[in-house]
Amino acid sequence: MSAPDNVSTERSAKGSWFNRFLATVEWLGNLLPHPITLFACFSLFIIILSGILGFFGVSVEDPRPLGAAGRSADGIISVVSLVSAEGLQRIVTGLVTNFTGFAPLGTVLVALLGVAVAEHSGLLSAAMRALVLKAPAKLVTLTVVFAGVVSNTASELGYVVLVPMAAMIFHSLGRHPLAGLAAAFAGVSGGYSANLFLGTIDPLLSGITTEAAHMIDPGYTVGPEANYFFMFISTFMIAILGAVITEKIVEPRLGKFKPEDAAQDIPQQDMQSLSAAEKAGLRNAGIALLLVVAVLALTIMPPLGGVLLHPQTGELSGSPFLKGIVAFIFITFAIPGFVYGKTVGVMKNDKDVINAMSKGMSTLGMYIVLVFFASQFVAFFNWTNLGTVLAVKGAALLTALGLDGPEVFALFILMCALVNLSLGSSSAQWAITAPIFVPMLMLIGFAPEVIQAAYRIGDSVTNLITPMMSYFGLILAVASRYQKNLGIGTLVATMLPYSMFFLMGWTVLFYVWVFLFGLPVGPGAPTYYQPAG
């Protein structure tokens, strides 16, 4: 898929109703204050709202079964007021730990230490040029989105490395960097549930589904592979749809990139052929990477010790290897980066490596400030139980509609997408909604595996447009490099077409796959539930 003619396409696109709609979304969004100010205001709003709802005793019945983890003794989930002595104490004592304990912060900082070495040594630039020079121009966009989806196996890699690199690739091709960023972000986050491989999220969700299914059938088990077939085919649908949206909607709307709009001087990457030294550097860096991967592989091979496998089960799922994936991202970028720099003469000793890391960290000032306020908002939101109450209320509304056919899944997917706007954690949302919908839909004849597959669609498609998504702040910070004073409205308007068309396309694929063709969502996964005996 080739880059569009920005001039002619932009002229025709500007007058379309859809582009006027996106322009309105962007305008409304940009009326909001700076994202940092916005998160500070959100935090204050949560405090006040919790006080009001807490005063009136707003609560819901906990749908989780008796004895479930996190379930209160009385089975009631109440809004917790922060407008109280206890609330004030929690705010004051948690201010620092909210910030330092914010999961994406450590992930980004540690991973970028290694990425900074690879970037400042010139490895990423050379590798990018080698990739772009060899890849057909028509497939660049498709490749970026596809790579984003596959990177979900180690999601941090997608957000921290692929999204910024995609912006660089598009810039090097004379295309708008934000279009590359959007394409990669769409694959990594919007296609979160699709993949060619099973990831850490699969056993996590299947475990929650199994527990919910036990409310109806105590002997029912949902395996990690329950949705593999559907998620495998979804990878290609998301990649193709994401590429089309990028080239037909997002990129024409962005127009031609103007360097003067950038927050800093960003020279366009030189796309000339690699020099002999650069080729030697890439070769040596490739050898170093293979050696690093080989050593890491030894740590998860049972015949050779498997020291980083799960100590109890001996499996990769839940193992120290997967939990420590950020450390491996750091190593696999830092070591090849230094080898490349040493080969081409850019890096000679440890001082050069340290300088590269320091330069990488110096670019994160805005992100760190944003994370401070965002982490307070997320913590306050979780403390008050507002997200949980909202999820249960939304689920109850759908239940009250009394639908009992396949059409219920359209509303179920839509509800999950809406709830995901405020309750960003996939496992947290499913832990609340699964005990409601799995038993309910089993009682009208649908298997838990199909219910879980439908949930994963809704859980993915709105990741792109919600500030509650953990890495939204990082994406905003990267985008701001290419457009100074970039507002939340601009980023949301850019990503909204992906959310809308992913929701429609993925829902259609679900109905065609499950109900039209009658295909299973995973190995041995039934579509309809048949009670035992």
Side-chain angles (χ1 to χ4, degrees):
M1 298 182 179
S2 58
D5 179 353
N6 283 334
V7 176
S8 60
T9 310
E10 186 178 9
R11 287 175 181 171
S12 61
K14 279 183 177 178
S16 70
W17 68 267
F18 190 67
N19 276 274
R20 289 196 298 270
F21 165 69
L22 294 179
T24 302
V25 171
E26 179 176 1
W27 176 74
L28 290 173
N30 286 338
L31 289 178
L32 298 172
H34 191 281
I36 293 175
T37 305
L38 192 62
F39 276 118
C41 293
F42 280 167
S43 300
L44 180 61
F45 174 74
I46 291 298
I47 294 173
I48 297 173
L49 181 62
S50 72
I52 297 173
L53 297 183
F55 176 79
F56 287 103
V58 174
S59 62
V60 294
E61 184 176 347
D62 195 328
R64 291 171 291 189
L66 186 66
R71 191 179 191 273
S72 61
D74 61 0
I76 299 297
I77 302 174
S78 302
V79 174
V80 177
S81 172
L82 294 180
V83 186
S84 63
E86 294 80 4
L88 180 59
Q89 292 168 8
R90 193 167 190 179
I91 292 172
V92 173
T93 58
L95 200 67
V96 175
T97 53
N98 293 342
F99 176 51
T100 58
F102 195 59
L105 178 62
T107 296
V108 171
L109 294 181
V110 173
L112 280 186
L113 284 173
V115 173
V117 177
E119 180 180 359
H120 290 282
S121 69
L123 173 59
L124 293 185
S125 175
M128 179 187 67
R129 284 159 51 205
L131 174 66
V132 172
L133 288 171
K134 291 182 180 180
K138 293 183 178 181
L139 297 180
V140 169
T141 309
L142 181 63
T143 301
V144 165
V145 182
F146 183 81
V149 176
V150 174
S151 74
N152 288 328
T153 304
S155 59
E156 291 85 358
L157 180 65
Y159 290 112
V160 177
V161 179
L162 183 62
V163 172
M165 186 177 290
M168 294 169 59
I169 290 174
F170 271 53
H171 189 209
S172 68
L173 294 173
R175 300 170 65 179
H176 204 296
L178 293 186
L181 176 145
F185 186 27
V188 175
S189 199
Y192 178 70
S193 286
N195 215 312
L196 302 182
F197 313 99
L198 294 180
T200 55
I201 191 64
D202 294 284
L204 185 60
L205 294 183
S206 64
I208 296 172
T209 306
T210 297
E211 290 298 321
H214 285 174
M215 298 172 67
I216 300 298
D217 187 341
Y220 205 99
T221 301
V222 179
E225 75 291 344
N227 298 146
Y228 180 68
F229 292 162
F230 183 65
M231 294 308 151
F232 183 93
I233 194 66
S234 296
T235 302
F236 301 97
M237 187 276 292
I238 291 294
I240 294 172
L241 191 56
V244 171
I245 294 169
T246 301
E247 296 183 354
K248 301 301 182 182
I249 298 176
V250 173
E251 197 165 7
R253 184 172 177 274
L254 289 170
K256 186 175 179 59
F257 176 62
K258 299 176 182 177
E260 60 270 21
D261 290 341
Q264 59 191 55
D265 183 27
I266 305 177
Q268 185 167 330
Q269 296 290 331
D270 186 4
M271 294 306 292
Q272 64 183 1
S273 300
L274 298 174
S275 66
E278 289 173 324
K279 290 180 180 178
L282 285 177
R283 182 184 64 249
N284 292 342
I287 294 173
L289 177 61
L290 289 176
L291 291 175
V292 170
V293 171
V295 172
L296 294 179
L298 292 177
T299 66
I300 57 173
M301 291 184 177
L304 300 176
V307 294
L308 292 182
L309 290 174
H310 195 288
Q312 277 76 46
T313 65
E315 298 179 352
L316 187 61
S317 176
S319 67
F321 182 87
L322 292 180
K323 292 179 180 178
I325 194 70
V326 178
F328 302 138
I329 293 175
F330 167 74
I331 294 170
T332 53
F333 278 92
I335 294 178
F338 175 70
V339 170
Y340 177 88
K342 186 77 172 178
T343 302
V344 300
V346 175
M347 291 184 171
K348 297 183 174 63
N349 50 45
D350 59 317
K351 292 182 180 179
D352 294 325
V353 175
I354 294 171
N355 287 335
M357 291 181 177
S358 298
K359 290 178 182 177
M361 292 297 101
S362 67
T363 64
L364 291 179
M366 180 68 73
Y367 173 67
I368 292 174
V369 176
L370 186 146
V371 164
F372 174 77
F373 289 96
S375 64
Q376 308 307 323
F377 167 65
V378 172
F380 296 170
F381 197 76
N382 290 334
W383 291 347
T384 59
N385 287 334
L386 285 173
T388 305
V389 170
L390 178 62
V392 175
K393 290 284 188 182
L397 176 62
L398 185 56
T399 304
L401 295 176
L403 300 175
D404 58 2
E407 67 276 4
V408 71
F409 284 103
L411 290 177
F412 175 50
I413 292 170
L414 180 60
M415 190 220 71
C416 292
L418 293 175
V419 171
N420 190 52
L421 292 172
S422 61
L423 197 61
S425 169
S426 177
S427 58
Q429 184 187 162
W430 192 224
I432 294 298
T433 54
I436 298 174
F437 287 106
V438 171
M440 181 190 76
L441 296 179
M442 286 177 69
L443 289 173
I444 61 175
F446 295 106
E449 292 86 348
V450 173
I451 303 167
Q452 179 181 282
Y455 161 73
R456 297 179 72 171
I457 296 173
D459 177 59
S460 295
V461 296
T462 49
N463 283 335
L464 300 165
I465 57 174
T466 172
M468 290 298 294
M469 198 278 295
S470 299
Y471 288 91
F472 191 86
L474 175 64
I475 304 303
L476 192 63
V478 174
S480 297
R481 294 179 58 194
Y482 299 96
Q483 186 172 325
K484 55 190 173 185
N485 301 322
L486 182 91
I488 286 181
T490 300
L491 184 57
V492 170
T494 300
M495 303 312 301
L496 186 58
Y498 296 102
S499 283
M500 294 173 62
F501 287 103
F502 281 3
L503 175 61
M504 292 185 287
W506 219 340
T507 302
V508 169
L509 177 64
F510 175 79
Y511 274 95
V512 170
W513 184 270
V514 175
F515 298 113
L516 182 60
F517 293 161
L519 297 172
V521 293
T527 298
Y528 299 99
Y529 171 66
Q530 298 292 335

